[in-house]
Amino acid sequence: MMNYSIKILVLIFLMVSSIEAADKIALYKGYINSSYDSAKNSIMGGATTATAKGYSALNSNPAGLSTNYNFTLYLKTIQGTTSDSEGTEIATIDAANHLGIGLMYDSFAIEYKNANYLSVGGAYGYESIYGLFSVGFSYTMDQTDLTANNELAKDEYATGDYLTWGLMWQKTFLDEDDFYSIYFGLSHKNSGKYAGDLRSKVIPVSPSRTSYGIGLETNMFNGSILLTYDISEEFWNSSSETLSSTAYGIKWMLGHKFAIGGGINSQTFAGSTLKDIETIGIGIEWGFLGMHLLPSYTQRTVNSSTGVYIDEEALHLDLAFTF
């Protein structure tokens, strides 16, 4: 189904000429969709800003891992299909072409996806009696080369360079039998504009995006349960078109290093011929033998004013090795 990458933010093609029906696929896919940033976000339906730990809200953190001064190597990929309203497959994604690789030490990370992007990021946390405060950032350098094509294919995109930053606050309350943790997160991505040479009428640009999230975690049986809620908005400096999002997530930690989760993300267009996007995601997190495995499945439907526009489904996989 969907032809774009995992973790790094997936961005838009802004048309400077008239938009034909075939171009709408590139147009809506260009929006940042946190449900597709990584397997972690897919599992939670995009509702993960509140539990960002300062940097997982950013685009260079693998699967939400904190390495605790360990060295981590991680891989990410995605595979799926895109079908039109009549069920005809119109695009596929090859997992081998969407492989990202990253390294992480302490709270610093670098990630590279071939011919797509290079991203670096870091974070700092401060613990006090008022809770854990952390701040994180990442900078993404667009590596896309579109000069060889006269026209952009439906599965191609470029973002330009951009900065992303995030803040997080966490406070845990304990009593004799229970614990409660409250999270609040904020992240913002600046817009970017593709700087390479083009021979088409499409100028690839990425929108700004602001996201707020809250979360609550408490113990349940021998594990714990986490509930999250996010709102976000994507917008342009040169257009009135926006994409607003509301996401809910739930994750149940069932024991040592194993969890199941699911989420729903509802997105609404304004100033567009498209109407909304409905996304659901389910998956697991499993840590064993020094590895951290996150497989997940995502399904989403894009609606226009006349009905279903397209259906998409994708399989994500994040795999980290911690040393």
Side-chain angles (χ1 to χ4, degrees), residues 192-215:
K193 182 178 180 180
Y194 180 65
D197 294 329
L198 285 173
R199 288 183 291 172
S200 75
K201 297 180 180 179
V202 179
I203 301 177
V205 237
S206 62
S208 299
R209 181 179 188 272
T210 301
S211 177
Y212 305 88
I214 58 174

Side-chain angles (χ1 to χ4, degrees), residues 97-161:
N97 295 332
H98 290 264
L99 181 66
I101 183 171
L103 301 174
M104 189 173 184
Y105 178 75
D106 187 15
S107 298
F108 300 94
I110 181 169
E111 179 176 317
Y112 177 72
K113 182 171 182 290
N114 184 41
N116 197 321
Y117 63 80
L118 174 67
S119 185
V120 295
Y124 176 77
Y126 176 74
E127 184 79 46
S128 74
I129 61 172
Y130 303 105
L132 171 64
F133 299 86
S134 56
V135 57
F137 74 94
S138 65
Y139 189 75
T140 298
M141 291 159 278
D142 190 0
Q143 305 291 297
T144 310
D145 184 5
L146 302 174
T147 57
N149 301 320
N150 290 317
E151 298 292 338
L152 286 173
K154 296 184 180 69
D155 61 347
E156 290 182 320
Y157 62 92
T159 67
D161 299 346

Side-chain angles (χ1 to χ4, degrees), residues 16-230:
V16 295
S17 59
S18 60
I19 300 175
E20 299 176 359
D23 292 327
K24 291 180 183 177
I25 296 175
L27 182 64
Y28 88 80
K29 280 194 172 183
Y31 274 99
I32 303 166
N33 187 329
S34 56
S35 295
Y36 283 90
D37 289 350
S38 67
K40 175 183 177 178
N41 280 338
S42 176
I43 290 171
M44 300 294 284
T48 54
T49 303
T51 56
K53 308 298 185 191
Y55 46 88
S56 127
L58 311 180
N59 60 348
S60 59
N61 180 31
L65 288 177
S66 174
T67 61
N68 296 320
Y69 293 96
N70 291 320
F71 173 78
T72 296
L73 167 68
Y74 63 93
L75 307 171
K76 304 181 310 177
T77 192
I78 180 174
Q79 185 170 16
T81 59
T82 300
S83 302
D84 61 22
S85 58
E86 297 179 352
T88 302
E89 186 176 298
I90 56 177
T92 60
I93 180 171
D94 185 346
N97 295 332
H98 290 264
L99 181 66
I101 183 171
L103 301 174
M104 189 173 184
Y105 178 75
D106 187 15
S107 298
F108 300 94
I110 181 169
E111 179 176 317
Y112 177 72
K113 182 171 182 290
N114 184 41
N116 197 321
Y117 63 80
L118 174 67
S119 185
V120 295
Y124 176 77
Y126 176 74
E127 184 79 46
S128 74
I129 61 172
Y130 303 105
L132 171 64
F133 299 86
S134 56
V135 57
F137 74 94
S138 65
Y139 189 75
T140 298
M141 291 159 278
D142 190 0
Q143 305 291 297
T144 310
D145 184 5
L146 302 174
T147 57
N149 301 320
N150 290 317
E151 298 292 338
L152 286 173
K154 296 184 180 69
D155 61 347
E156 290 182 320
Y157 62 92
T159 67
D161 299 346
Y162 58 86
L163 175 71
T164 310
W165 56 266
L167 303 171
M168 193 276 293
W169 171 76
Q170 173 189 351
K171 178 66 174 175
T172 300
F173 303 90
L174 300 171
D175 62 27
E176 199 169 303
D177 300 311
D178 303 303
F179 83 90
Y180 302 91
S181 292
I182 300 173
Y183 303 86
F184 174 77
L186 160 68
S187 68
H188 178 79
K189 175 205 167 290
N190 290 342
S191 61
K193 182 178 180 180
Y194 180 65
D197 294 329
L198 285 173
R199 288 183 291 172
S200 75
K201 297 180 180 179
V202 179
I203 301 177
V205 237
S206 62
S208 299
R209 181 179 188 272
T210 301
S211 177
Y212 305 88
I214 58 174
L216 174 65
E217 183 178 2
T218 188
N219 55 311
M220 175 176 286
F221 304 116
N222 293 326
S224 64
I225 191 165
L226 169 67
L227 305 173
T228 55
Y229 169 76
D230 274 39

